[in-house]
Amino acid sequence: GAGVSQSPSNKVTEKGKDVELRCDPISGHTALYWYRQSLGQGLEFLIYFQGNSAPDKSGLPSDRFSAERTGGSVSTLTIQRTQQEDSAVYLCASSSISGYEQFFGPGTRLTVL
Amino acid sequence: GDSVTQMEGPVTLSEEAFLTINCTYTATGYPSLFWYVQYPGEGLQLLLKATKADDKGSNKGFEATYRKETTSFHLEKGSVQVSDSAVYFCASFSSGSARQLTFGSGTQLTVLP
């Protein structure tokens, strides 16, 4: 397993439901990032983890969004009470401790009906 | 914060034509600069990078030179192929407290046979 993996690849949900998106980074990468790609907004930074800590949560669009990382590896992005404007592709990336070269997963396409 | 301005698309070229996609950045300090490519239905892939002024990144026939004096990182290829059709994103990374990639809006390239 060389690359960053994300699951599910596609998620369709109804407005108001909660969703969990998972990211499995490259083994040994200490930094993990979440981004969102949507029409009209381009690529937006959401949150960054170094180990299990999130020193930068500045990009989370509202308090309905939260993320955690356990064991310095897998991360989960949770969106509560989903809204139609949450529809987007959610991308995860990881990097080594130097941080500047990020490797991206294939993304999770979220559709909120 | 950092910002990246990228040439608007879409760009349509004939095979073997010369490609330039303009990218300029604003940042405090000296960021690392990247070009990422997104092929249809796929995730973001790092195409090339440069970490300091006058560095030239190159890969798969694409090149970009980090120009501090013009704060630019334009992407060029001498002879494009149909397989180069994709969306290209310019990005900057500053290793300060805000450890995130800042992306341009993306440029859709279509190469016709």
Side-chain angles (χ1 to χ4, degrees):
Chain A
V4 178
S5 60
Q6 292 185 246
S7 61
S9 55
N10 278 286
K11 177 71 176 179
V12 180
T13 191
E14 294 179 349
K15 178 181 171 181
K17 302 278 190 178
D18 297 352
V19 295
E20 285 189 353
L21 312 179
R22 176 189 166 107
C23 172
D24 204 336
I26 291 172
S27 178
H29 278 187
T30 58
L32 186 148
Y33 303 78
W34 285 97
Y35 295 87
R36 178 169 72 173
Q37 185 176 23
S38 54
L39 289 175
Q41 296 296 320
L43 276 153
E44 305 170 87
F45 167 78
L46 297 179
I47 190 169
Y48 151 65
F49 286 92
Q50 183 62 259
N52 293 334
S53 300
D56 188 357
K57 301 181 182 179
S58 62
L60 293 176
S62 76
D63 59 8
R64 295 186 296 105
F65 287 72
S66 63
E68 64 175 14
R69 190 179 184 196
T70 55
S73 181
V74 171
S75 176
T76 302
L77 177 69
T78 301
I79 309 173
Q80 295 179 310
R81 305 181 303 281
T82 51
Q83 304 294 312
Q84 288 182 332
E85 61 262 29
D86 299 334
S87 296
V89 177
Y90 289 81
L91 295 169
C92 176
S94 70
S95 71
S96 65
I97 196 165
S98 66
Y100 68 87
E101 187 167 341
Q102 296 180 23
F103 297 85
F104 283 80
T108 293
R109 181 174 296 279
L110 175 65
T111 303
V112 182
L113 302 177
Chain B
D2 293 6
S3 68
V4 175
T5 302
Q6 192 174 334
M7 177 173 142
E8 293 282 334
V11 174
T12 303
L13 296 173
S14 297
E15 204 164 24
E16 299 183 2
F18 183 85
L19 168 71
T20 300
I21 301 177
N22 290 337
C23 171
T24 57
Y25 67 91
T26 58
T28 52
Y30 304 104
S32 296
L33 300 173
F34 303 85
W35 279 99
Y36 279 84
V37 58
Q38 189 172 35
Y39 297 103
E42 298 185 14
L44 283 169
Q45 299 177 24
L46 179 63
L47 180 60
L48 54 83
K49 65 181 188 287
T51 58
K52 61 183 187 297
D54 300 325
D55 270 1
K56 178 185 282 189
S58 62
N59 186 25
K60 299 182 180 179
F62 290 89
E63 293 183 339
T65 300
Y66 191 141
R67 301 284 188 202
K68 187 176 71 172
E69 62 275 12
T70 54
T71 62
S72 65
F73 192 57
H74 304 322
L75 182 68
E76 296 183 336
K77 186 175 186 182
S79 176
V80 293
Q81 305 300 309
V82 172
S83 57
D84 293 327
S85 297
V87 181
Y88 292 81
F89 293 91
C90 185
S92 71
F93 179 88
S94 294
S95 56
S97 58
R99 296 176 64 83
Q100 56 177 279
L101 283 167
T102 300
F103 287 92
S105 56
T107 301
Q108 170 77 56
L109 170 67
T110 301
V111 181
L112 302 175

